[in-house]
Amino acid sequence: MTTGQQQTPSGLGPQDEERLPSLAEQMADQLGGWRGLVESSIPVVVFVVANVIGELRPAVYASVAVALLIAGLRLAQRKPVRHAMNGLFGVGIGALLALRTGDERDFYLPGILYGIGYGLALLLSAAIRQPLVGWIWSVLVAKGRSEWRDDPKLVRTFTQLTVLWGVVWLAKVGVQAGLYLAHQDTALGVARLALGYPPYALLLLITVWVVRRVTRESAPTPLPGS
């Protein structure tokens, strides 16, 4: 490194930030846009409505059929199928479990267990100073770069964000678990929808905004005449 040059500790200086997608683009990519939001919710809505007006088995078949139809349309239109396949996988596991036990609330059990595991993993990663949100940022946003590990301020920021994600995740899954144990099947379906994407979108917005702000503050001040 030549005299007068400074290296940004985080590896995420202004030049790198210019190469990153905009906040809106990052949000749209992670949420799948409005279409992704709608498509991921439709199978659960179909199950809730069909189960209220009918029986468990038709409701399960209807939700799985809708999930398959959405994935098929995505493939036919040569659109990204990541969100559709994630939704299909979640609906399929829940459907199989509900059919096996004959209990409609078991349709939501895989999502509850996944949420508990994810929330605990987030808090554990923060406790051992390997914040999961930081590593996810490296993969999804920073093109695999992990120089943030060399910047104590960014490590602290990602740790705090990871704790926030973990607490919110456990809180929302706690509500669903309470409704599951109370056999409030319809309320559980409504909670699954209400506590799905809205908290996720808010956490994602906070994360992108905070990391970009800290990155700008950590960037070195250009030397006069540089």
Side-chain angles (χ1 to χ4, degrees):
M1 184 167 62
T2 60
T3 304
Q5 290 181 322
Q6 297 185 42
Q7 183 178 9
T8 304
S10 66
L12 293 172
Q15 293 180 347
D16 289 315
E17 188 178 0
E18 290 177 0
R19 293 196 297 268
L20 296 177
S22 68
L23 185 148
E25 289 171 339
Q26 292 178 42
M27 291 285 292
D29 179 67
Q30 294 307 305
L31 296 174
W34 286 110
R35 178 174 176 174
L37 288 171
V38 172
E39 289 178 347
S40 64
S41 301
I42 288 177
V44 179
V45 172
V46 169
F47 176 82
V48 172
V49 173
N51 191 55
V52 168
I53 64 178
E55 300 293 332
L56 171 62
R57 190 171 294 272
V60 167
Y61 291 157
S63 63
V64 172
V66 168
L68 286 170
L69 178 61
I70 291 173
L73 287 174
R74 281 262 178 181
L75 286 172
Q77 296 172 354
R78 300 184 182 277
K79 299 288 186 180
V81 297
R82 173 164 57 101
H83 298 283
M85 295 307 296
N86 289 341
L88 177 59
F89 179 77
V91 168
I93 296 297
L96 288 174
L97 186 60
L99 288 175
R100 185 178 182 85
T101 64
D103 192 337
E104 59 197 59
R105 64 193 180 124
D106 286 337
F107 179 83
Y108 308 102
L109 184 57
I112 293 174
L113 296 178
Y114 167 79
I116 293 174
Y118 186 54
L120 292 176
L122 284 163
L123 295 181
L124 177 61
S125 72
I128 63 175
R129 303 289 291 177
Q130 294 289 333
L132 190 56
V133 170
W135 291 112
I136 294 174
W137 179 276
S138 293
V139 172
L140 297 181
V141 179
K143 302 178 181 178
R145 301 193 305 273
S146 58
E147 292 90 344
W148 60 269
R149 291 293 305 167
D150 300 322
D151 186 339
K153 190 172 184 179
L154 274 173
V155 172
R156 184 167 61 251
T157 297
F158 278 125
T159 299
Q160 293 169 347
L161 287 169
T162 299
V163 171
L164 175 63
W165 276 76
V167 170
V168 171
W169 219 262
L170 289 177
K172 74 172 192 172
V173 80
V175 172
Q176 296 178 57
L179 293 172
Y180 176 87
L181 295 175
H183 294 264
Q184 299 295 321
D185 305 323
T186 301
L188 178 56
V190 174
R192 165 74 176 272
L193 295 171
L195 298 177
Y197 270 110
Y200 178 70
L202 180 59
L203 286 170
L204 187 60
L205 179 62
I206 292 172
T207 299
V208 173
W209 180 78
V210 168
V211 174
R212 285 183 175 272
R213 188 190 65 177
V214 173
T215 297
R216 287 193 296 268
E217 292 175 352
S218 300
T221 303
L223 294 176
S226 59

